[in-house]
Amino acid sequence: MDNKTELREFLASRRAKIRPQDAGLPAGTGRRVPGLRREELAALAGVSVSWYTRLERGDAVGASDAVLNAIARTLQLDELERRHLFQLTRGSQRGTAKTPTRRPAAPAIRATLQLVLDQMTDLPAIVQNDRSDIVAMNPLARALYSGLLSGSTGPWNHARYIHLDPGAQTFYRDWDQVASHSAAMLHVAAAKDPFDTELSKLIGELATQSEDFRVRWASRNVHEHRAGVKRIHHELVGDMELVYETLALPGEPGLTLYVNAAEPDSPSADALRLLAAWSTPMPAPAPQRQKEHQD
């Protein structure tokens, strides 16, 4: 991954989204490009046109926090987009001399964390890294994501399932939104560690095999999962609406815990209980004592 290229494409895509009237400028006629012109954005942000042009070409030398914040305000970036801009800028300033890093696709987690997961018997819970590799899960999560697990031998990757497995479009009832969020989350991961070779390979694989992913990737949107609702269709128990929360794991850098739950006394709660009963192994029958023979 190349932060200079990502910086260039990100700024251009955000600039194209700002209509002149949204920035207090007359709309005008005969505009050749969507959104603001470079000279308009530079004037609104209080920087020279030549300096902003260099920045949009990936040259971030001399970019101060104050100037980046001014550009972020002019582009009307939200907090996540602003942090993404800073990350791309700082990454491009460091250059590309860093040695590519290889992080294991599915590192082992602490036994105590797996113990906690396994005892969350009523809540599907998984642990993922920034690449969407599934690092750990509890039995109910295995039952919930059985389609993902059956589609490959592992290591399992949520992004690969979403973009390449046709079953994902049935499982996720809001698949279009899920797919957009997935691509946007990979953009955030790439900005954090552009030298992650496994992440680069994953993005290359998705782009090679899915035109839809290429279009979503080219939008340069960014997203972080924090909390929300997932609408899914499970082949065994039907439709469910599950809320989810994400929890950082300070003891496991780079990993995030995703926990799902259903509203109490809802059809989704009934479906989740049924799925939990289906996923719970039956206890082994107790050995029968042989009757004593009487003389």
Side-chain angles (χ1 to χ4, degrees):
M1 305 300 297
D2 180 358
N3 264 340
K4 289 188 175 182
T5 300
E6 289 296 307
L7 175 61
R8 180 175 68 243
E9 298 295 336
F10 179 70
L11 284 172
S13 69
R14 300 309 97 172
R15 180 166 58 84
K17 287 189 172 186
I18 303 297
R19 299 179 303 171
Q21 55 268 38
D22 294 335
L25 299 174
T29 59
R31 301 179 70 89
R32 294 179 298 171
V33 295
L36 294 177
R37 299 185 179 99
R38 284 176 177 170
E39 56 269 25
E40 292 171 334
L41 190 146
L44 290 169
V47 299
S48 70
V49 177
S50 60
W51 188 90
Y52 177 76
T53 300
R54 283 196 297 107
L55 181 65
E56 198 171 289
R57 289 174 178 168
D59 183 357
V61 175
S64 67
D65 289 358
V67 168
L68 291 177
N69 279 320
I71 291 172
R73 284 193 299 271
T74 305
L75 290 174
Q76 301 177 22
L77 303 184
D78 61 26
E79 177 56 26
L80 176 58
E81 290 173 320
R82 190 191 71 83
R83 285 192 279 116
H84 189 66
L85 171 61
F86 271 72
Q87 210 144 31
L88 291 175
T89 302
R90 299 310 177 223
S92 65
Q93 288 173 339
R94 289 192 294 268
T96 58
K98 184 178 175 182
T99 302
T101 57
R102 276 190 172 275
R103 291 185 295 165
I109 64 169
R110 299 190 313 277
T112 51
L113 177 54
Q114 185 64 61
L115 180 63
V116 170
L117 290 177
D118 291 340
Q119 295 195 30
M120 298 170 68
T121 56
D122 297 329
L123 302 173
I126 66 174
V127 176
Q128 286 189 187
N129 61 19
D130 292 339
R131 289 192 301 262
S132 297
D133 293 325
I134 296 178
V135 176
M137 56 201 326
N138 64 3
L140 187 51
R142 287 180 176 273
L144 181 64
Y145 293 104
S146 57
L148 184 158
L149 303 184
S150 65
S152 64
T153 58
W156 297 294
N157 181 276
H158 227 129
R160 185 179 289 114
Y161 171 67
I162 291 168
H163 297 286
L164 300 185
D165 191 325
Q169 298 189 35
T170 301
F171 179 74
Y172 288 111
R173 292 154 62 195
D174 300 313
W175 178 84
D176 183 70
Q177 181 187 66
V178 170
S180 293
H181 285 172
S182 172
M185 290 169 68
L186 291 179
H187 266 298
V188 175
K192 289 180 180 178
D193 189 357
F195 303 101
D196 181 352
T197 56
E198 294 301 320
L199 177 58
S200 296
K201 285 166 57 179
L202 173 64
I203 294 170
E205 176 190 352
L206 299 179
T208 300
Q209 299 187 33
S210 171
E211 181 180 358
D212 179 84
F213 175 81
R214 291 196 297 272
V215 172
R216 296 179 194 275
W217 180 258
S219 71
R220 287 333 195 251
N221 292 329
V222 291
H223 177 74
E224 282 184 342
H225 263 345
R226 295 177 181 174
V229 177
K230 285 192 181 298
R231 300 171 67 248
I232 65 175
H233 175 82
H234 194 280
E235 61 180 356
L236 291 179
V237 297
D239 292 345
M240 287 188 283
E241 291 190 6
L242 302 177
V243 298
Y244 68 87
E245 288 285 343
T246 61
L247 304 171
L249 299 172
E252 300 282 359
L255 299 184
T256 302
L257 172 63
Y258 295 83
V259 181
N260 296 273
E263 291 290 341
D265 302 321
S266 67
S268 295
D270 294 338
L272 200 57
R273 279 194 293 271
L274 181 60
L275 191 61
W278 174 79
S279 65
T280 302
M282 296 292 291
Q288 294 184 351
R289 298 179 59 183
Q290 294 183 347
K291 294 181 179 180
E292 295 182 359
H293 294 286
Q294 294 181 350
D295 293 330

